């Protein structure tokens, strides 16, 4: 049986284009982010992101998941510039984007702010969530945890409506027998980030996943390589996988990395999944393979 390969990268933090910050933004949370960017731009480097994307393209995955924070200030100029970057990657149908907290930093709430990214959010041409895309043997449940927050907070929230729709989608027989992949920006498990950066309704999300199950959860936000586990139905373990920023040079969180997720159907039913981590090597050896492991074995040790 053939292997289906999904690439996962996150938090590219694209350089703000000219006009991304205006005088009106002085009175919003964007001012704090602009001040912070003076330091962060030394970490988030466009040449690092370009090298990582080139490495990813050379691997020719079947689908690519980007779990948020394409922008820094969430200004309309940045959102539009991020679309141009997405267009440079390839056909939208081959990429799924889950927005991050920086993509909703300030301004009006609501998912309509991401309408310009609609072709990358799902197959409906709309900006609502959740969206479900079936690619090969995989059903991708794309969530949005990005909401505007108060200064000095980077929390996320899914909301009751989105969680209810996710519950129904995971229970839909149309996706039975597929590898069910859940994507969001904020990590759903405890200890991954501090309280001021956490997912407010993570407990409600975990209740849905424990009731309905999933094969893997992907996230960003923490800027670290993380492997966690959640409880699934009947004592099963759901692995949770996060990656560092795709544009980060070596720093205290970890340099740029992307994960290749190799999904192989078993003849007896179910799937085997292997992770191949690629990114900047800490010994200065450039960009290459950092390791590989079986997802089920790793999750069992974490569960």
């Amino acid at each position: 049986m053939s292997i289906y390969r999904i690439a996962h990268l996150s938090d590219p933090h694209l350089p703000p284009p000219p006009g991304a910050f205006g005088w009106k933004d002085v009175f919003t949370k964007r001012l704090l982010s602009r001040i912070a960017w003076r330091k962060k731009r030394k970490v988030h480097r466009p040449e690092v992101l370009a090298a990582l994307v080139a490495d990813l393209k050379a691997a020719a995955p079947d689908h690519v998941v980007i779990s948020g924070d394409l922008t820094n200030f969430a200004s309309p100029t940045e959102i539009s510039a991020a679309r141009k970057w997405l267009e440079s990657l390839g056909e939208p149908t081959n990429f799924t984007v889950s927005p991050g907290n920086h993509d909703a930093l300030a301004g009006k709430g609501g998912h309509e702010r991401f309408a310009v990214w609609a072709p990358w959010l799902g197959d409906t041409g709309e900006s609502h969530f959740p969206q479900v895309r079936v690619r090969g043997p995989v059903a991708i449940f794309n969530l949005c945890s990005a909401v505007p927050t108060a200064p000095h907070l980077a929390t996320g929230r899914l909301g009751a409506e989105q969680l209810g729709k996710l519950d129904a989608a995971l229970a839909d027989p149309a996706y039975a027998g597929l590898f069910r992949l859940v994507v969001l920006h904020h990590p759903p498990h405890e200890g991954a980030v501090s309280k001021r950066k956490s997912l407010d309704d993570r407990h409600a999300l975990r209740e849905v996943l424990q009731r309905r199950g999933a094969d893997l959860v992907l996230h960003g936000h923490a800027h670290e390589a993380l492997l966690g586990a959640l409880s699934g139905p009947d004592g099963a373990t759901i692995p949770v996988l996060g990656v560092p920023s795709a544009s980060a040079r070596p720093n205290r969180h970890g340099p740029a990395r992307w994960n290749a997720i190799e999904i192989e159907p078993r003849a007896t039913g179910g799937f085997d999944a292997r992770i191949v981590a690629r990114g900047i090597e800490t010994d200065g050896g450039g960009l290459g393979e950092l390791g590989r492991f079986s997802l089920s074995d790793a999750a069992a040790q974490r569960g």
Side-chain angles (χ1 to χ4, degrees), residues 5 260 262 274-278 289-295:
R5 294 177 173 85
E262 300 181 343
R274 293 176 295 277
I275 306 301
V276 180
R278 295 188 60 84
E289 182 175 321
L290 304 177
R292 56 179 64 205
F293 57 91
S294 166
L295 190 59

Side-chain angles (χ1 to χ4, degrees), residues 54-293:
D55 186 69
L56 185 152
K57 286 185 175 181
D62 297 296
H63 196 78
V64 179
V65 168
I66 305 172
S67 53
D69 277 2
L70 280 66
T71 71
N72 299 282
F73 316 141
S75 68
T77 302
E78 271 193 301
I79 296 291
S80 297
R83 177 185 171 113
K84 293 183 182 297
W85 178 73
L86 289 170
E87 289 172 344
S88 74
L89 299 180
E91 291 296 322
T93 54
N94 296 327
F95 296 82
T96 294
V97 172
S98 176
N101 60 292
H102 274 273
D103 303 321
L105 190 76
K108 295 181 179 179
H111 298 157
E112 61 274 7
R113 66 164 61 227
F114 304 118
V116 70
W117 295 350
W120 292 268
L121 305 179
D123 295 331
T124 67
E126 300 175 352
S127 56
H128 64 79
F129 294 90
Q131 296 211 38
V132 186
R133 308 179 103 169
V134 175
R135 298 292 186 269
V138 182
I140 303 170
F141 297 81
N142 190 21
L143 308 180
C144 180
S145 60
V147 292
T149 58
H152 305 296
L153 290 180
T155 52
R157 187 174 63 254
L158 296 170
E161 181 179 359
Q162 189 176 177
L163 285 166
K165 290 179 178 178
L166 173 65
D167 185 275
L170 287 171
D172 192 331
Y175 309 120
L178 297 177
F179 185 95
R180 296 185 297 170
L181 176 66
V182 177
V183 182
L184 74 164
H185 180 66
H186 291 77
H189 54 304
E190 300 294 338
V193 291
S194 64
K195 184 177 180 180
R196 75 174 191 88
K197 296 182 178 181
S198 63
L199 183 68
D200 287 341
D201 47 7
R202 60 193 180 278
H203 299 291
L205 172 59
R206 294 205 296 259
E207 288 176 1
V208 171
L209 294 175
Q210 185 168 20
R211 181 166 57 251
R212 301 301 185 190
D215 294 285
L216 174 62
V217 178
L218 297 180
H219 70 85
H221 192 48
H223 290 203
E224 294 185 57
L226 296 176
L227 176 64
L230 299 177
S231 297
D234 303 320
T237 298
I238 302 171
V240 181
L241 196 60
V243 289
S245 163
S247 62
R249 66 173 180 78
N251 67 97
R252 64 187 180 89
H253 291 298
R257 175 185 296 199
W258 68 277
N259 285 333
I261 305 157
E262 300 181 343
I263 301 165
E264 184 175 15
R266 301 191 196 105
T268 56
F271 299 88
D272 290 317
R274 293 176 295 277
I275 306 301
V276 180
R278 295 188 60 84
I280 296 178
E281 298 171 333
T282 55
D283 60 2
L287 196 153
E289 182 175 321
L290 304 177
R292 56 179 64 205
F293 57 91

Side-chain angles (χ1 to χ4, degrees), residues 18-31:
F21 186 89
W23 68 268
K24 293 182 179 180
D25 296 320
V26 171
F27 306 102
T28 72
K29 188 179 176 180
R30 291 188 180 114
L31 176 61

